[in-house]
Structures are given as C-alpha cells and as structure tokens.
Amino acid sequence: MIELTLNNGVTMPAIGLGVFQSAPAETAAAVAEALRVGYRHIDTAAAYRNEREVGEGIRRSGLDRADIFLETKVWVSDYGYDQTLHAFDKAVGKLGVQTLDLLILHQPAPTRFDTTIAAYKALETLLTDGRLRAIGVSNFMPHHLDALLRETDVVPAVNQVELHPYFTQPDVQQADAAHGVLTQAWSPIGGITFYPGWGDERRSVMEDAAIGEIARAHGKTPPQVMLRWGIQQGRSVIPKSTNPARIAENLDLFDFELSAEELTRIDSLDTGVRGGPDPDQPRDAFFDVVIPEA
Ligand code: NAP
C-alpha cells in the first residue's frame, strides 16, 4: 500500500474507499470488505448520512482503530466556529471513535465565506487539541485557497476535488502543490461522468477509447488505469464501490506501471468541463440540510 506524507508529517494511504451514494444498508459490509482485502483508508462525509455504518464496518473488521485512516467532511450548514466544533462531536459520535485522521470542509461557501473561515478555525482548534491528526478542504479552487490562507494559520493538508481524465483541474493541482497541499481525487474513475440522473449527455470516461486501449495493453481494466494514473502522479484516490469484486479490483494496481507517454495521453483527455457542482455556484438548498445529531 502506497503511503503519502501530508504537509504535517502524518502519513495517509494513497487509496481510500469512498462511500458517497453507498446505501446505508450496504455501507458497513463494503467498509468491512475493503478493510479485509487491504484498504486502510475510508472517506465519508456527514452529508452522506452513512457515518454510523462506516463506524460499524470498521468495528466489524476487527482491526485496531489506529491502523485505519478515517476521513470525513463537515457539511456547509454546520459552518461557523461553534457549529463546526459541534459537527466534529456529531461525526465522532456516529462513527464511534474518539479522533479522526482527517476532517475537511466539504466545500467553500462563497457567499458566506466568513463562516467557511470560522469553520476552518474550529478545525485548527481540534487539531491543536489532538482530536484530529490533519485538517483540509474540499472543492477549493485556487482563489478559495488563497482567501483561506490569508486568514488562517494551518495550511490544509488535503484538497479533495473532482479529478478524473475528463476533468483534471491543472490550475487546482498547481495551486495545491505550490502550497504543499495534497490533491485528493474524487470520482477518480469518473463516477460523476456516468451516474444516472446527473445529466443526460454525459460521456462516460469508463468507456473512453484511449483508456480502454491502455488498459488492454497492460491486461488491466479502465478503472485500474485511471487509479494508477492518479497514484503515479502523486495524488490520493478514493474510488467508491459496494461490490466486493470491484472493491478488490480497485486496489489491485501494483503489478503494472504506466509509461510517461501513457500518462500524458491520459492527461490530454481533459475536457475542462466539470461533471459536478461548480464550487462558486452554491445552492441555497445546501444550507437547509440538517445534519442529525449523533
Ligand atoms: P467513482 O469512485 O469515480 O465511481 C464510483 C462508481 O463506479 C460507482 O457507480 C461504482 O459502482 C462504480 N465502480 C467502482 N469500481 C468499479 C469498477 N472497478 N468497475 C466498474 N465500475 C466501478 O465516483 P464517486 O463515488 O463520485 O467518487 C469517489 C468518492 O469520492 C466518493 O465515494 C466520495 O467518498 C468522494 N466524493 C467527494 C465529493 C466531494 O464533494 N468532496 C464528491 C463526490 C465524491 P459500484 O458501487 O456498483 O461498484
């Protein structure tokens, strides 16, 4: 398992299991199965409403808590200093743990950026108090990062952003690298390019001809090629699956290597068009979501 070293010296397994849209009834089994086959990093979020089941999956695995890198996210309706301190309590209460390895802000709240800053300051306090091992952000564009860095002390360890061959965000990757922030890819195998109901005319990166050709050349699958591309370029990747065979497939990445030419060919597939929400276009409804108590 490849470990990445964050900017505060904490190490994090490069591959994690994502659980967005994992039905609560399937989440504990998926987490336990992932831990059984060798994953040691789980990415969830308050807004996914399955933190409780993630905790159950961890307990089912029988592994020591210390051997698992546990990451979750604070939703925007819980931004604000006191609110975010309480969001931490809700998260650890549901997960059934005392501390988190990484807590990140789910997205900037551009129209209420003061609450984003206050939320991040709460993460800084929790870090100082030893309740968190690292803190970070998600869906931050370079100008959000600049604005955050101007008003806070701790450089985020991680920025989790949409990143797959059809949307590579080179500007975000460069800004992250310039500040020592690790880029973590969500939808690393392009989930957002093929999820039903997320737009009619999506081209699934899973079916891309170039990715397929590279996969065949290595005797691997398109998801394995996309994950290997991310890891070889130094990113963290958090593919989601609730299917045991695919959970295992997405970790089986260490018996092949992509050439520099193949990496460049995959880079060149970037369309510059995001599949997910634009972080600068927040929806008012986001703030109406109530994250339940633990
Ligand atoms: P993804 O991991 O790129 O793709 C997941 C989809 O691919 C699911 O439909 C899954 O179905 C399928 N799949 C998984 N492995 C496969 C394989 N080997 N072959 C074929 N299909 C496969 O997309 P994502 O879930 O959007 O992103 C991953 C994680 O990133 C999330 O779970 C979440 O933790 C995080 N995320 C964060 C944000 C954010 O705003 N910060 C946004 C989106 C996602 P099955 O389950 O049926 O296998």
Side-chain angles (χ1 to χ4, degrees):
M1 174 62 73
I2 294 187
E3 299 268 338
L4 296 168
T5 302
L6 305 179
N7 60 15
N8 63 356
V10 166
T11 57
M12 176 179 85
I15 306 173
L17 179 78
V19 297
F20 175 47
Q21 301 187 114
S22 299
E26 295 176 352
T27 303
V31 167
E33 176 62 11
L35 294 171
R36 191 185 71 78
V37 299
Y39 288 72
R40 290 293 180 270
H41 173 182
I42 311 291
D43 175 70
T44 183
Y48 302 166
R49 301 195 178 248
N50 56 16
E51 287 176 309
R52 219 176 280 286
E53 291 76 14
V54 167
E56 191 190 323
I58 289 174
R59 286 188 294 281
R60 262 190 221 172
S61 76
L63 289 170
D64 279 350
R65 165 71 187 91
D67 292 335
I68 299 164
F69 191 96
L70 186 53
E71 171 176 5
T72 189
K73 315 184 188 79
V74 181
W75 185 243
V76 289
S77 53
D78 278 341
Y79 286 4
Y81 187 80
D82 291 335
Q83 293 90 329
T84 300
L85 291 179
H86 185 57
F88 167 83
D89 290 333
K90 290 196 271 188
V92 292
K94 289 175 195 157
L95 287 158
V97 297
Q98 301 293 315
T99 60
L100 297 169
D101 298 285
L102 178 60
L103 184 60
I104 65 180
L105 301 185
H106 207 135
Q107 54 194 47
T111 53
R112 307 180 192 186
F113 206 71
D114 54 331
T115 65
T116 310
I117 299 287
Y120 194 80
K121 286 180 187 283
L123 299 190
E124 291 181 323
T125 298
L126 292 161
L127 183 69
T128 304
D129 292 348
R131 310 296 305 274
L132 303 174
R133 294 177 68 225
I135 63 177
V137 294
S138 178
N139 298 306
F140 269 47
M141 293 154 84
H143 63 279
H144 303 126
L145 196 56
D146 287 341
L148 183 83
L149 292 171
R150 274 196 297 275
E151 296 192 53
T152 57
D153 296 324
V154 179
V155 177
V158 164
N159 185 14
Q160 183 184 119
V161 295
E162 179 182 343
L163 211 161
H164 45 76
Y166 285 171
F167 192 56
T168 65
Q169 308 217 57
D171 56 331
V172 170
Q173 293 199 58
Q174 277 158 23
D176 286 352
H179 293 293
V181 180
L182 181 82
T183 302
Q184 183 173 57
W186 67 253
S187 277
I189 56 175
I192 197 75
T193 70
F194 56 81
Y195 280 137
W198 289 71
D200 293 336
E201 301 193 354
R202 291 191 174 216
R203 208 157 40 102
S204 167
V205 68
M206 198 81 90
E207 287 160 19
D208 185 86
I211 306 258
E213 200 175 294
I214 294 168
R216 279 191 298 281
H218 289 278
K220 303 298 282 188
T221 64
Q224 289 172 325
V225 165
M226 290 188 258
L227 295 170
R228 182 79 206 184
W229 165 74
I231 283 171
Q232 278 187 227
Q233 293 188 336
R235 291 185 291 275
S236 169
V237 291
I238 46 169
K240 174 265 177 184
S241 183
T242 48
N243 174 293
R246 294 194 282 272
I247 288 172
E249 176 186 329
N250 295 344
L251 194 63
D252 179 17
L253 310 174
F254 300 105
D255 58 354
F256 76 114
E257 189 166 6
L258 299 172
S259 67
E261 193 190 17
E262 288 169 329
L263 294 175
T264 307
R265 191 170 172 207
I266 299 171
D267 287 339
S268 74
L269 300 175
D270 183 27
T271 62
V273 178
R274 68 172 75 245
D278 179 343
D280 264 333
Q281 302 288 326
R283 301 185 191 146
D284 284 343
F286 285 176
F287 295 95
D288 297 334
V289 172
V290 176
I291 301 298
E293 296 297 323

